[in-house]
């Protein structure tokens, strides 16, 4: 299924729920987390509704590659300090025991000066 009508992140991609957009192209959407843990905290998601990292297969390799190569570029643009003194954290929670709350695959990108609220 490419879109889940009950999914809040599908609704954000569709503009049905407002968000502070960081980036968009034909495959990906990135937006600021509503409850940031760090001075910089945004999410990168595929527009395709993939519920979690437990659902990915070889057909998603290029999509996941796009997300992971976009993350460092957006991190710097959004105010993360340069490596190695700066840097950022990339997190993808998966499943209940992995701490996942929204079941549309997303990569958290967090950074900025310490201390952080969490993480
Ligand atoms: P998870 O726990 O699933 O890895 O992370 C879900 C993240 O989505 C949380 O950090 C939460 O703050 C964020 N979030 C949940 N609902 C919304 C929303 O409606 N808008 C935005 N911008 N972020 C959201
Ligand atoms: Zn979705």
């Amino acid at each position: 299924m490419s879109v889940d009508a009950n999914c809040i992140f599908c609704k954000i991609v569709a503009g049905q729920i407002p968000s502070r957009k960081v980036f968009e192209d034909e495959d990906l959407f990135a937006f600021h987390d509503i409850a940031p843990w760090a001075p910089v905290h945004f999410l990168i998601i595929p527009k395709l509704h993939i519920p979690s990292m437990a659902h990915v297969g070889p057909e998603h390799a290029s999509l996941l590659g796009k997300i992971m190569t976009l993350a460092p570029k957006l991190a710097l643009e959004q105010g993360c300090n340069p490596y190695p003194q700066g840097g950022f954290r990339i997190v993808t929670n998966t499943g209940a025991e992995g701490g996942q709350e929204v079941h549309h695959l997303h990569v958290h990108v967090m950074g900025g000066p310490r201390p952080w609220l969490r993480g």
Side-chain angles (χ1 to χ4, degrees):
M1 134 181 67
S2 63
V3 174
D4 178 339
N6 296 314
C7 169
I8 62 170
F9 286 180
C10 284
K11 288 181 182 172
I12 284 177
V13 170
Q16 293 161 358
I17 293 176
S19 69
R20 290 171 55 221
K21 183 162 82 173
V22 168
F23 176 87
E24 180 174 13
D25 71 6
E26 66 274 23
D27 298 319
L28 305 180
F29 196 87
F31 55 102
H32 291 280
D33 197 292
I34 205 166
W37 293 13
V40 176
H41 186 175
F42 61 90
L43 306 174
I44 308 177
I45 68 173
K47 290 186 170 178
L48 184 68
H49 180 84
I50 303 169
S52 81
M53 281 297 289
H55 297 78
V56 303
E59 69 275 23
H60 301 118
S62 77
L63 191 60
L64 294 174
K66 276 189 76 169
I67 292 173
M68 292 308 252
T69 52
L70 181 64
K73 178 174 178 288
L74 294 185
L76 286 178
E77 286 177 12
Q78 292 303 315
C80 292
N81 293 311
Y83 178 93
Q85 284 81 13
F88 47 83
R89 176 170 288 181
I90 291 177
V91 173
T92 299
N93 299 321
T94 306
E97 291 180 350
Q100 185 178 9
E101 291 177 358
V102 177
H103 290 265
H104 179 130
L105 195 155
H106 54 280
V107 168
H108 294 257
V109 182
M110 291 165 274
R114 299 279 180 168
W116 295 357
L117 200 58
R118 293 169 70 186

